[in-house]
């Protein structure tokens, strides 16, 4: 991972446009190719970013780009979206090999929910079958890889509470899985006990199906068909 602290201006162009005026920020370039721009606030979420597949190119400034030391252009590999970072002053620049990450250790409910859905894959639809739990990718395992009733590959991300981070995670998995000619096309399902409205909106925008699952019903301790209300 490369970490750069710099005074920079950031412009995003493509399906939408966004501008970050000149300020000191942290730029992270990850081994998977993603580029994220962070401020010293706003919790964990970057101000702007580009997810892989994408390419990073560096050029010298044009004569009319006063005060600019270098310009980074991050081009999306599938669309016309691009992130342009104009660096005015680099305060820190370092690279670190983080090694292989063991992945997120899920809490008991989330891990059990994944097991239950693997055992009851028909929850997603009749004719579905499980290919494998924890299907490996270069950036971590997909919770469930399934085939639907038509034989189409489906990557399922399972969360206790579905938020935007989970949709982003599934999007990265789908980008990688769709490069495999033996699997493509691969569609996505985001399954959780509760899905936040913002996460649902983002998922739908990216062609990902959302499914709210009943943990107690899957465990057999609650039968939704026997409720009066």
């Amino acid at each position: 991972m490369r970490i750069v602290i710099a005074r920079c201006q950031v412009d995003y162009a493509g399906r939408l446009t966004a501008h970050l005026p000149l300020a000191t920020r942290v730029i992270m370039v990850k081994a998977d190719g993603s580029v994220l721009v962070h401020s010293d606030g706003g919790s964990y979420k970057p101000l702007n970013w580009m997810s892989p597949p994408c390419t990073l190119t560096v050029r010298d400034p044009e004569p009319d780009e006063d005060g600019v030391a270098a310009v980074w252009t991050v081009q999306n590999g599938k669309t016309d979206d691009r992130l342009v970072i104009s660096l005015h002053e680099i305060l820190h620049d370092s690279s670190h090999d983080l090694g292989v990450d063991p992945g997120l250790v899920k809490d008991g409910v989330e891990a059990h929910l994944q097991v239950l859905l693997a055992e009851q894959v028909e929850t997603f639809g009749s004719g579905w079958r499980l290919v494998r739990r924890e299907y490996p990718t270069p950036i971590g395992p997909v919770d469930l890889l399934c085939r639907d009733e038509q034989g189409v590959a489906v990557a399922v991300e399972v969360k206790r509470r579905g938020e935007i981070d989970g949709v982003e995670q599934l999007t990265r998995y789908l980008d990688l899985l769709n490069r495999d000619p033996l699997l493509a096309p691969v569609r996505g399902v985001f399954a959780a006990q509760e899905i936040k409205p913002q996460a649902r909106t983002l998922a739908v925008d990216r062609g990902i199906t959302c499914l709210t699952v009943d943990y107690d019903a899957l465990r057999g301790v609650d039968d939704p068909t026997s409720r009066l209300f």
Side-chain angles (χ1 to χ4, degrees):
M1 177 184 290
R2 183 179 180 187
I3 299 174
V4 176
I5 301 175
R7 294 183 66 249
C8 62
Q9 170 183 299
V10 184
D11 292 279
Y12 192 101
R15 290 169 293 180
L16 54 84
T17 58
H19 173 72
L20 294 173
L22 185 64
T24 301
R25 301 184 176 93
V26 176
I27 305 168
M28 301 173 63
V29 183
K30 295 187 177 182
D32 64 2
S34 55
V35 178
L36 304 93
V37 181
H38 285 269
S39 68
D40 200 18
S43 187
Y44 63 91
K45 189 174 178 63
L47 296 170
N48 219 323
W49 69 93
M50 184 71 76
S51 300
C54 58
T55 56
L56 169 62
T57 58
V58 181
R59 67 168 175 84
D60 293 329
E62 300 292 342
D64 60 342
E65 295 176 311
D66 293 335
V68 177
V71 178
W72 292 10
T73 300
V74 188
Q75 180 66 53
N76 188 286
K78 293 184 177 180
T79 69
D80 292 331
D81 291 57
R82 66 186 180 278
L83 189 67
V84 180
I85 306 173
S86 301
L87 301 170
H88 286 244
E89 181 184 7
I90 296 177
L91 306 175
H92 173 86
D93 188 347
S94 62
S95 297
H96 309 269
D97 184 358
L98 302 186
V100 178
D101 192 282
L104 179 67
V105 178
K106 301 177 185 292
D107 67 37
V109 171
E110 189 170 304
H112 194 207
L113 186 60
Q114 182 190 129
V115 172
L116 290 169
L117 286 170
E119 294 173 347
Q120 303 175 53
V121 71
E122 68 278 1
T123 301
F124 302 109
S126 61
W128 280 54
R129 62 183 176 87
L130 177 69
V131 176
R132 178 174 171 176
R133 283 186 56 212
E134 302 288 341
Y135 187 88
T137 79
I139 59 172
V142 177
D143 288 339
L144 306 175
L145 184 67
C146 304
R147 294 276 183 182
D148 65 14
E149 70 281 1
Q150 297 178 335
V152 176
V154 186
V156 181
E157 183 63 26
V158 180
K159 298 292 184 187
R160 182 167 58 86
R161 178 163 38 180
E163 302 190 21
I164 285 178
D165 273 5
V167 178
E168 294 284 5
Q169 183 180 0
L170 180 54
T171 299
R172 293 192 292 270
Y173 289 149
L174 290 171
D175 282 340
L176 288 170
L177 293 172
N178 273 300
R179 299 180 203 178
D180 186 343
L182 298 178
L183 290 176
V186 184
R187 64 185 185 91
V189 170
F190 190 50
Q193 289 179 270
E194 173 193 0
I195 300 177
K196 295 293 186 180
Q198 301 93 329
R200 188 179 294 274
T201 299
L202 181 62
V204 171
D205 181 68
R206 296 185 175 180
I208 294 171
T209 301
C210 290
L211 177 67
T212 303
V213 294
D214 189 321
Y215 179 59
D216 288 336
L218 288 171
R219 289 194 299 158
V221 300
D222 181 34
D223 181 3
T225 63
S226 66
R227 299 175 187 164
L228 295 177
F229 51 86

